[in-house]
Amino acid sequence: MSVRPNLTREDWIHAAQQVLVKGGVDAVRVDTLAKELNITRGSFYYHFKSRNELLEGILGGWRTRATEDVILHLSDAQTTPQQQLQRLMELPLHGQTAKEAAAIELAIRAWARRDEHARQAIDEVDRYRLSYIKGLLLQAGVEAQDASDRAYLIYAYQISLSLLNNNEPAGERLSRNTRLAELLVPTAQRA
């Protein structure tokens, strides 16, 4: 094995995420990753002090890509709150990218069932996402309690899509998503 000169910290985190999805957090081991990446363990220790730091990197990278970047992208789109909510509800239907994101999310949620640190990360992300959705609903004119309830339903719907069978035709999934958006997202000013 030789050290690949272009291997980055992100390469290690990406490889660790893939192992997490396939085998759970116990499978995320330095030796396993080095073998999978066909490099020496020394490369790992160049980027990380410990396995725990790698696990932190998995959680931090997930939080950034699956929450902060998504919210930033939706907010920067110069669209109404209703349009942002509609697009947010459509995210789980975006093909292979959505399937991969869902697999990582489910693996992290499984990890969080037995690890307090991962649980704290999940709780923080859930609060942040729910707050964002509720904020959009409030901007759209929904009363506070109703906004909280609708935010919870929208978020639960999104999470549940990753658990359900994806063999349903894309057109049917999109039609259902549109109907649910009509129920949950205020119609005033909707694009």
Side-chain angles (χ1 to χ4, degrees):
M1 277 190 235
S2 62
V3 175
R4 294 187 334 206
N6 296 332
L7 192 69
T8 66
R9 178 180 173 90
E10 292 307 310
D11 292 329
W12 278 98
I13 291 171
H14 178 74
Q17 285 177 328
Q18 299 311 308
V19 170
L20 177 70
V21 167
K22 292 177 194 169
V25 70
D26 291 337
V28 180
R29 298 278 175 217
V30 177
D31 289 338
T32 304
L33 292 169
K35 189 178 285 187
E36 188 145 322
L37 292 169
N38 195 28
I39 53 175
T40 65
R41 289 172 39 138
S43 172
F44 173 85
Y45 291 106
Y46 176 79
H47 295 289
F48 300 94
K49 293 177 184 161
S50 66
R51 176 179 180 263
N52 283 339
E53 189 176 333
L54 173 64
L55 296 176
E56 270 298 312
I58 292 171
L59 292 172
W62 164 72
R63 180 178 24 250
T64 298
R65 279 187 310 284
T67 302
E68 295 165 9
D69 290 352
V70 169
I71 290 172
L72 183 63
H73 177 72
L74 290 169
S75 299
D76 284 350
Q78 303 289 323
T79 57
T80 67
Q82 291 87 347
Q83 289 168 321
Q84 289 179 55
L85 285 162
Q86 179 79 32
R87 290 192 176 113
L88 186 67
M89 288 180 69
E90 291 171 357
L91 286 176
L93 308 175
H94 286 177
Q96 190 58 36
T97 301
K99 286 180 184 177
E100 290 169 7
I104 292 168
E105 176 118 1
L106 289 175
I108 291 173
R109 286 183 181 280
W111 169 19
R113 293 179 76 194
R114 50 183 259 215
D115 179 90
E116 184 58 31
H117 190 66
R119 174 83 258 155
Q120 289 172 357
I122 288 283
D123 290 346
E124 177 186 317
V125 164
D126 287 346
R127 280 190 302 273
Y128 187 41
R129 291 173 178 174
L130 283 164
S131 175
Y132 172 69
I133 296 167
K134 179 181 177 182
L136 290 175
L137 290 163
L138 290 170
Q139 290 174 44
V142 176
E143 295 295 322
Q145 186 59 55
D146 194 22
S148 291
D149 294 343
R150 288 185 194 203
Y152 191 85
L153 284 171
I154 289 168
Y155 189 50
Y157 166 71
Q158 287 188 292
I159 298 292
S160 71
L161 286 176
S162 60
L163 299 171
L164 297 174
N165 185 350
N166 284 336
N167 292 331
E168 181 180 45
E172 288 180 34
R173 286 194 316 266
L174 190 54
S175 292
R176 179 183 305 106
N177 191 74
T178 300
R179 289 189 306 275
L180 287 170
E182 288 172 0
L183 290 171
L184 297 169
V185 177
T187 57
Q189 303 170 343
R190 188 184 314 150

